[in-house]
Amino acid sequence: MVLTDRVDRRQLLGAAGTAVAASTLAGCGLFDDDPEPAPRPDALQPVLDEALRLAAAYDRATAAQPGLQKRLSPLAEDHRAHAAALAELIGVTLPSAVASAPAGGDAAQTVAALRKAEQAAQKTAVAACRTAPAQRAALVGSIAAARAAHAEALR
């Protein structure tokens, strides 16, 4: 077919332009109904979560065993400081403190459970330190070292 009439050429060019515009808009996701994937959590989020859990565990322990407060409160404060530093680094807001039931058991069982939690959390921090970029490794390394020191202090 030979296009000699101007109207036919204009119609053809208009249709071609519309097709290009539609494919461009479809390609950019304007008409997609798929939601954007949720951003992946920061690699240090598990270390932050553990710091918060450890601080809460110490608080429960001192509520259940007031005689351990002098020994355990500084360790709980360390975990709160770690949580604050991690939250600032990864750009999240710390949750409000939530009251929880006191831990059960006697003082020896309480300390043994805290020591075990510190050891597990120290392994998480070491693993995170190994994969962290240099600008984050110092903080995560110091948290891993503090958790190891806490475990020893609970012997």
Side-chain angles (χ1 to χ4, degrees):
M1 172 168 133
V2 177
L3 298 175
T4 57
D5 188 62
R6 286 182 173 246
V7 175
D8 290 335
R9 286 183 194 164
R10 286 184 186 154
Q11 288 174 345
L12 181 62
L13 290 173
T18 301
V20 168
S23 66
T24 301
L25 289 175
C28 75
L30 183 63
F31 296 119
D32 290 343
D33 289 336
D34 296 334
E36 288 290 320
R40 290 183 13 195
D42 193 284
L44 296 183
Q45 187 66 49
V47 181
L48 170 59
D49 294 342
E50 279 184 326
L52 293 171
R53 281 193 299 274
L54 286 165
Y58 280 101
D59 291 343
R60 286 190 305 274
T62 57
Q65 303 288 334
L68 294 174
Q69 186 166 8
K70 185 176 179 182
R71 182 178 180 193
L72 300 182
S73 290
L75 306 180
E77 288 304 316
D78 285 349
H79 290 297
R80 280 189 268 282
H82 296 160
L86 287 163
E88 183 178 339
L89 180 67
I90 65 178
V92 297
T93 303
L94 288 176
S96 299
V98 179
S100 58
D106 66 8
Q109 291 172 330
T110 299
V111 171
L114 289 170
R115 185 170 192 273
K116 187 174 180 178
E118 287 283 5
Q119 290 169 328
Q122 192 259 344
K123 289 177 183 176
T124 301
V126 167
C129 186
R130 287 183 177 146
T131 60
Q135 65 272 21
R136 292 175 158 209
L139 174 61
V140 182
S142 68
I143 291 171
R147 290 175 178 181
H150 292 172
E152 287 303 309
L154 294 170
R155 277 186 172 256

